């Protein structure tokens, strides 16, 4: 009896995984085919397409669109898709793909490596094998697979520059882990997708992500808006606090919102949620109309803002959008009304 092998498409985009040493430093040169050849026999029917050959520092909204279109085009021809990608912006790409390809009907798994595949002790072969296994077995969704963990793409963050455990699933457990039992799934491997997959690559990249620091001049926010910025994510302090003495960030937020610029307040802390209702410095911002990012990653918050603005939505619609769990990117608690009374 012949067992039907799963059909998996590898879309290769470059990154360290495909890099070689050159006089100019590491540059992505290896093709997807070369990556596959380094893995030896795999129990899948693999097709390869090279769509980009970039360090992921060069991956921007134009490339997100191309990757999303390629996935959409192939979503009914394969059982799963693996996207090889540089690690530096992989969490941004994974988050944006989740918004652009809502209700995706197959597993799409991004992976890369900290060390080029042609180096003896590279992490690339393990990461690629994991990505293929995830693409063959996970529920439909956008994932990031790295260092024996499979995470929801919109919850992943790059947290290390050198060590192999470069990514973490923030505020939710990984979807699956590799143990001696193989790929072991958590309960999260349940697909919520019941609707038709849509491709919507309309985004507005004219946004800013600002990390608040003591002494930050709120006038700079208005300068950004003057230069065309249409929405701002502020990584505020702790639960979402902002200063209002001397330099009035809270007042600036209110003014921007009255001008029609959505301002999202997230936390500089990587873990756990922002909750603007707790302290006066958060409540004031909330009263001025700041929109809470709750427990979203900054990568998800900024890509969600770009996508929402791309739909032509105003401040109220963006607030509504951020109060909605669209692709698993945010935890909305049942009675989480964020009222300040
Ligand atoms: N490890 C990596 O892939 C880093 C590389 N600079 C990239 O993001 O393309």
């Amino acid at each position: 009896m012949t067992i039907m092998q799963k059909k998996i498409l590898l879309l290769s985009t470059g990154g360290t995984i495909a890099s070689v040493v050159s006089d100019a430093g590491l540059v992505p040169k290896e093709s997807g085919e070369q990556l596959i050849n380094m893995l030896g026999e795999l129990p899948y029917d693999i097709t390869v397409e090279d769509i980009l050959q970039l360090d992921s520092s060069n991956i921007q909204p134009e490339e997100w669109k191309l990757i999303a279109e390629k996935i959409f085009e192939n979503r009914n021809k394969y059982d799963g898709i693996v996207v090889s990608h540089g690690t530096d912006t992989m969490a941004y790409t994974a988050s944006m793909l989740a918004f652009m390809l809502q209700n995706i009907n197959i597993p799409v798994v991004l992976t890369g490596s900290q060390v080029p595949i042609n180096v003896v002790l590279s992490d690339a072969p393990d990461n690629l094998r994991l990505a293929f296994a995830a693409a063959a077995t996970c529920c439909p969704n956008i994932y990031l697979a790295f260092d024996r963990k499979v995470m929801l793409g919109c919850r992943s963050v790059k947290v290390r520059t050198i060590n192999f455990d470069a990514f973490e699933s923030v505020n939710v457990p990984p979807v699956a882990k590799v143990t001696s039992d193989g790929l072991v799934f958590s309960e999260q491997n349940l697909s919520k997708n019941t609707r038709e997959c849509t491709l919507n690559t309309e985004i507005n990249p004219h946004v800013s992500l600002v990390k608040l620091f003591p002494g930050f001049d709120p006038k700079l926010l208005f300068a950004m808006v003057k230069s065309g910025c249409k929405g701002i994510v502020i990584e505020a302090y702790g639960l979402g606090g902002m200063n209002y003495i001397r330099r009035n960030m809270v007042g600036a937020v209110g003014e921007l919102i009255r001008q029609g610029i959505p301002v999202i307040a997230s936390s500089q802390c990587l873990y756990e949620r922002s909750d603007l209702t707790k302290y006066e410095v958060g409540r004031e911002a909330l009263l001025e109309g700041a929109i809470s990012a709750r427990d979203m990653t900054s990568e998800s918050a900024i890509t969600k803002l770009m996508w929402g603005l791309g739909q032509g939505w105003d401040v109220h619609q963006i607030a509504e959008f951020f109060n909605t769990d669209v692709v698993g990117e945010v935890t909305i608690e049942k009675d989480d009304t964020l009222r300040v009374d």
Side-chain angles (χ1 to χ4, degrees):
M1 189 177 76
T2 50
I3 300 168
M4 281 285 280
Q5 289 191 329
K6 290 270 176 105
K7 285 181 71 178
I8 314 278
L9 173 66
L10 169 67
L11 297 174
S12 108
T13 74
T16 294
I17 192 165
S19 287
V20 296
V21 179
S22 81
D23 290 344
L26 284 176
V27 280
K29 283 264 187 265
E30 311 254 33
S31 65
E33 204 59 56
Q34 283 169 308
L35 298 184
I36 295 300
N37 290 342
M38 305 285 264
L39 298 181
E41 200 64 17
L42 285 179
Y44 313 109
D45 174 3
I46 299 173
T47 305
V48 181
E49 194 177 337
D50 297 313
I51 55 169
L52 294 165
Q53 214 163 41
L54 293 172
D55 186 290
S56 76
S57 308
N58 273 319
I59 291 203
Q60 297 168 61
E62 294 77 3
E63 285 74 28
W64 291 338
K65 277 187 179 193
L66 173 78
I67 300 169
E69 281 160 8
K70 279 285 167 195
I71 293 169
F72 190 75
E73 200 179 295
N74 287 292
R75 75 196 187 286
N76 294 327
K77 299 184 198 147
Y78 295 92
D79 297 304
I81 297 181
V82 172
V83 180
S84 59
H85 192 291
T87 58
D88 291 339
T89 64
M90 186 153 49
Y92 290 92
T93 301
S95 300
M96 184 53 101
L97 290 177
F99 295 115
M100 287 181 165
L101 290 159
Q102 287 171 42
N103 302 307
I104 185 72
N105 56 319
I106 54 167
V108 174
V109 188
L110 283 81
T111 197
S113 67
Q114 293 285 64
V115 176
I117 199 160
N118 58 21
V119 173
V120 178
L121 295 180
S122 172
D123 52 335
D126 276 354
N127 288 345
L128 267 177
R129 281 189 200 106
L130 171 61
F132 278 105
T137 51
C138 284
C139 286
N141 219 327
I142 310 285
Y143 301 98
L144 190 153
F146 216 90
D147 192 42
R148 297 176 182 254
K149 285 184 297 213
V150 183
M151 305 155 234
L152 263 192
C154 59
R155 291 286 195 165
S156 60
V157 173
K158 184 172 179 183
V159 294
R160 286 187 188 80
T161 58
I162 294 169
N163 273 298
F164 288 167
D165 50 347
F167 286 88
E168 274 184 26
S169 177
V170 171
N171 293 332
V172 293
V175 172
K177 284 184 186 173
V178 182
T179 72
S180 52
D181 290 331
L183 200 52
V184 179
F185 290 95
S186 74
E187 288 131 43
Q188 281 184 74
N189 186 43
L190 298 170
S191 181
K192 291 197 282 181
N193 301 347
T194 46
R195 279 179 272 142
E196 188 73 5
C197 173
T198 49
L199 173 72
N200 184 334
T201 59
E202 289 305 320
I203 60 169
N204 187 341
H206 301 291
V207 292
S208 273
L209 174 57
V210 175
K211 182 169 184 166
L212 191 56
F213 59 88
F216 178 81
D217 184 349
K219 282 205 286 297
L220 293 173
L221 299 176
F222 295 100
M224 284 176 192
V225 170
K226 228 176 149 190
S227 304
C229 176
K230 300 289 185 221
I232 304 175
V233 176
I234 297 177
E235 280 190 5
Y237 303 125
L239 282 167
M242 296 179 201
N243 46 292
Y244 59 79
I245 64 163
R246 283 189 295 279
R247 299 168 186 84
N248 190 355
M249 276 297 287
V250 171
V253 166
E255 183 49 37
L256 288 167
I257 287 166
R258 282 188 288 279
Q259 289 180 20
I261 306 294
V263 180
I264 318 299
S266 70
S267 176
Q268 302 188 359
C269 301
L270 178 60
Y271 301 109
E272 303 173 349
R273 67 206 316 265
S274 57
D275 178 355
L276 301 177
T277 64
K278 192 143 180 175
Y279 291 94
E280 183 207 16
V281 285
R283 284 181 179 225
E284 292 298 324
L286 200 57
L287 284 172
E288 291 285 355
I291 301 163
S292 176
R294 296 186 171 89
D295 65 345
M296 292 177 71
T297 65
S298 290
E299 288 83 343
S300 261
I302 198 74
T303 51
K304 186 170 181 172
L305 181 59
M306 283 188 205
W307 195 88
L309 288 169
Q311 310 312 301
W313 291 337
D314 64 17
V315 175
H316 298 289
Q317 290 167 306
I318 294 287
E320 196 56 46
F321 184 46
F322 271 81
N323 286 337
T324 311
D325 173 9
V326 183
V327 289
E329 78 285 6
V330 65
T331 312
I332 312 273
E333 271 150 33
K334 286 244 158 23
D335 56 352
D336 188 2
T337 50
L338 292 178
R339 258 188 270 110
V340 288
D341 46 49

